[in-house]
Amino acid sequence: MDSEFDLAVWDLDSDGVAVPAGAVQGYAADWPHWLGWQATEMGLTCPCRSDLRPQAPDDFRRAFRVPGGGLGWPLRLLCEGCRWDLADPASADSR
């Protein structure tokens, strides 16, 4: 995750702590210029329609991978709220 053009992807560990799960390389460079439908096609929006792309240099949004999913194509990511909705109820207490 050393390039400013990579998207850091997160996951929840067994204790419910957000941890880096890897990166999707080379996507961020053109994100601000993509239209909403293009971002959706590329998997950069959550099923709840939240845009996972940073909107400003100081905007921090976490993109989480779908539980049990990888970082392959098609890219399937979730916003932090939707990822927590899928979390094991036992880990919800540690938030």
Side-chain angles (χ1 to χ4, degrees):
M1 292 187 282
D2 58 349
S3 169
E4 64 184 280
F5 300 116
D6 295 345
L7 170 65
V9 179
W10 298 79
D11 207 345
L12 297 178
D13 69 11
S14 60
D15 294 323
V17 176
V19 294
V24 180
Q25 297 180 344
Y27 280 85
D30 294 324
W31 288 356
H33 307 290
W34 288 356
L35 300 175
W37 70 268
Q38 292 170 311
T40 299
E41 276 299 307
M42 294 301 293
L44 300 174
T45 55
C46 182
C48 75
R49 302 174 73 71
S50 294
D51 193 338
L52 301 173
R53 301 174 295 168
Q55 303 299 309
D58 61 349
D59 183 10
F60 179 73
R61 299 180 191 207
R62 284 188 176 155
F64 285 79
R65 68 179 174 174
V66 173
L71 297 177
W73 187 258
L75 191 60
R76 295 181 57 223
L77 299 172
L78 300 171
C79 68
E80 192 163 3
C82 288
R83 179 60 186 95
W84 273 110
D85 288 346
L86 296 175
D88 178 7
S91 65
D93 295 332
S94 61
R95 275 198 273 182

